[in-house]
Amino acid sequence: MVYNSCFDIIGPIMVGPSSSHTAGVVTIGKFVRDFLGGEIESATIVFYDSFSETYKGHGTDKAVVGGLLGMDTDDSRIRVALELAAAKGLQVVFEKRGDCPYYDHPNTVMIQARTARDIAVIGGVSLGGGISKVFYVNEFAVDIPLNAPYDLDDLRNKLWHNTRCEAAVGGA
Amino acid sequence: MDFTSMTELLALCESTNRSIAEVMVARESAKSGRSEQEIVETMKLRLVRMKEAIDQGVSDQSLAPSGISGGDAYKLERYLEKGEQLTGPIVGDAMKFAFATSEMNARMGIIVATPTAGSAGILPGCLFSLHENQKYTFEHLVMGLFTASAIGYVIANRAFISGAAGGCQAEVGSATAMAAAALVEIKQGTPRQAVHAAAIALKSLLGLVCDPVAGLVEVPCIKRNVIGSSIAFSAADIALAGIESQIPCDEVIGAMYEIGKKMPRAYRETALGGLAVTPTGEAVKERIMK
């Protein structure tokens, strides 16, 4: 079951206007940041289906960038996340596509993000009511619910992209 | 102690002699390992955040960034002050509080999703109207939130609660069902009556499409929240009178799921159909997206 707690239904406490198009996406962006474990320098964000049609009105762009900057769903700075990103030198490119080929749901996003050392490609789906999960990490199909605790170290060990190895080798 | 249907929920209520709210608190405690008291306190904090959104929203006359919503909670309050409204004080205040919450949501203010942000006005609107008009305490309202969460928990796992997945019936429909059940339990109705209230409320909103103008959670979402709050009171009164839904609640949820699955993409939060593509809807979109 996707919804496991009374607080999945009464919650999250969040900046409006849409739990699936705003709050759920903040959480996906924050996962990307946590997974990479550092300041993100650039990101390409692909919105599919419903996201691609309505992302501007719902602030989905602000939400995902807010998450990449490390904000929680109730952080009122989400409103100015794009300006904060620009000020910090985080370069963001948005793309719009139709159906998502990797996951059958209208609210899906793929994020390719880079820090100074690493790159990751992460796919997330916002399931409704602010609940989301990650379904894709670096060419691996995964199923990581973001409304339950997850072990970041374990995920990193299993899911690092080859580029990480190259970077490590290059740096040695 | 868990349940995946209204039938199982009611069986649990009966076998443990507890209300729906009490079953939900016990379930949460068993599942999370946190004490019941801690869980109630966490929920109370959410209730307080709802109240803050209402207080701010009632006095805020500003428009949302789009310019197509805002200030209606204030306008309704001025009207209600005259005491001449057709719906009476309870539904009047519920509508006002629902407006306040949903308008704050559109302004990118801080709200609590119940179960979604697009439907966040209904449950707080109903609960705080009871608080204002019938002197139910915050403790009563918190238990109402647990009742509502149990109903939402079943619906969310058996069907959907987002407009993109199942249309507005999944959002405003679910929220109204949750609020109706909460009202019944706060008013000392039985768990069975609460579940029937949820069924009656949800039935009334089956088929409702998600067709937001310019893709914004404003038109028609805000007024659907307001109307949803009045439907919740009607459904609760019907159920408290001992009237039952002829179709059991689990089957109503099944019907909602079936309808949502067959609903064309244009009516599932893509802003490609319905009110979104009326001449006025298109004109608003053009002006905003410019």
Side-chain angles (χ1 to χ4, degrees):
Chain A
M1 294 207 292
V2 170
Y3 300 85
N4 283 305
S5 160
C6 56
F7 303 114
D8 288 345
I9 303 297
I10 307 298
I13 302 168
M14 55 166 283
V15 169
S18 168
S19 39
S20 51
H21 290 63
T22 318
V25 184
V26 174
T27 312
I28 295 169
K30 189 141 188 286
F31 175 86
V32 173
R33 181 196 175 89
D34 290 346
F35 184 79
L36 279 165
E39 287 291 323
I40 294 169
E41 297 185 342
S42 68
T44 301
I45 295 155
V46 183
F47 291 130
Y48 294 94
D49 202 359
S50 173
F51 273 177
S52 73
E53 300 289 350
T54 63
Y55 79 89
K56 276 204 169 146
H58 286 129
T60 313
D61 45 357
K62 298 171 187 174
V64 67
V65 170
L68 293 177
L69 291 170
M71 295 177 197
D72 289 316
T73 58
D74 62 346
D75 192 324
S76 50
R77 294 176 303 163
I78 288 167
R79 289 172 215 153
V80 293
L82 297 180
E83 290 82 350
L84 284 174
K88 284 192 168 190
L90 162 57
Q91 293 184 327
V92 189
V93 177
F94 293 102
E95 290 179 19
K96 292 162 52 167
R97 306 244 175 98
D99 288 343
C100 178
Y102 311 104
Y103 197 90
D104 180 24
H105 193 282
N107 290 340
T108 44
V109 58
M110 294 288 290
I111 302 167
Q112 185 197 71
R114 276 174 194 275
T115 63
R117 341 176 15 223
D118 292 315
I119 182 168
V121 180
I122 291 174
V125 53
S126 185
L127 297 161
I131 304 303
S132 40
K133 70 176 181 180
V134 166
F135 62 83
Y136 183 100
V137 178
N138 293 344
E139 296 177 5
F140 291 97
V142 295
D143 188 52
I144 308 167
L146 300 183
N147 56 333
Y150 47 81
D151 183 343
L152 266 179
D153 289 333
D154 182 50
L155 291 175
R156 286 198 194 109
N157 285 338
K158 285 182 189 155
L159 303 171
W160 267 121
H161 196 269
N162 290 335
T163 47
R164 160 87 178 206
C165 308
E166 285 161 23
V169 170
Chain B
M1 184 183 233
D2 207 352
F3 51 91
T4 59
S5 68
M6 298 299 178
T7 310
E8 288 175 21
L9 172 61
L10 287 180
L12 267 178
C13 290
E14 198 162 318
S15 65
T16 60
N17 200 22
R18 286 176 166 147
S19 68
I20 292 173
E22 288 164 351
V23 164
M24 197 60 181
V25 174
R27 179 215 162 266
E28 190 75 19
S29 177
K31 189 116 183 174
S32 67
R34 297 165 68 202
S35 73
E36 294 198 1
Q37 194 189 340
E38 248 180 294
I39 287 159
V40 171
E41 284 303 313
T42 303
M43 193 61 99
K44 196 168 180 184
L45 284 178
R46 299 196 171 196
L47 185 76
V48 170
R49 300 305 286 270
M50 292 177 195
K51 181 78 167 74
E52 287 170 0
I54 286 175
D55 288 348
Q56 223 179 325
V58 166
S59 56
D60 193 335
Q61 297 177 62
S62 71
L63 296 179
S66 67
I68 60 169
S69 75
D72 289 342
Y74 181 81
K75 210 179 264 180
L76 191 64
E77 176 161 79
R78 296 282 83 77
Y79 170 70
L80 295 178
E81 275 171 1
K82 292 189 245 164
E84 292 170 5
Q85 74 272 20
L86 298 166
T87 48
I90 289 197
V91 173
D93 279 344
M95 293 196 297
K96 176 176 76 179
F97 297 149
F99 256 129
T101 305
S102 292
E103 287 183 345
M104 283 314 294
N105 182 54
R107 293 184 189 104
M108 292 190 87
I110 295 173
I111 54 91
V112 183
T114 56
T116 65
S119 58
I122 297 165
L123 184 57
C126 291
L127 295 187
F128 281 101
S129 179
L130 268 196
H131 173 69
E132 284 289 316
N133 291 286
Q134 299 204 344
K135 304 301 166 206
Y136 285 97
T137 64
F138 274 32
E139 280 64 35
H140 292 116
L141 304 195
V142 168
M143 292 313 281
L145 290 180
F146 283 108
T147 309
S149 71
I151 304 299
Y153 171 73
V154 171
I155 297 175
N157 283 312
R158 290 180 81 87
F160 18 54
I161 53 170
S162 80
C168 192
Q169 58 165 5
E171 291 208 30
V172 165
S174 300
T176 305
M178 288 161 55
L183 291 174
V184 168
E185 278 212 326
I186 293 173
K187 292 291 288 181
Q188 303 291 309
T190 64
R192 186 182 169 92
Q193 287 174 329
V195 167
H196 275 285
I200 291 163
L202 186 55
K203 279 198 300 191
S204 313
L205 292 157
L206 284 183
L208 194 62
V209 302
C210 180
D211 51 353
V213 167
L216 302 165
V217 192
E218 294 177 51
V219 178
C221 324
I222 295 174
K223 292 194 186 82
R224 283 189 187 156
N225 272 261
V226 175
I227 299 295
S229 70
S230 64
I231 291 176
F233 276 98
S234 300
D237 264 339
I238 291 170
L240 284 166
I243 300 164
E244 301 200 330
S245 170
Q246 291 296 330
I247 309 293
C249 195
D250 286 321
E251 293 181 32
V252 175
I253 296 167
M256 194 266 272
Y257 183 71
E258 183 230 329
I259 294 166
K261 275 285 166 199
K262 290 180 181 163
M263 199 176 272
R265 180 171 174 267
Y267 303 125
R268 287 185 286 107
E269 207 171 353
T270 52
L272 298 173
L275 295 170
V277 299
T278 55
T280 303
E282 295 277 18
V284 167
K285 182 180 178 184
E286 196 162 318
R287 179 170 56 75
I288 292 170
M289 297 303 161
K290 217 168 27 188

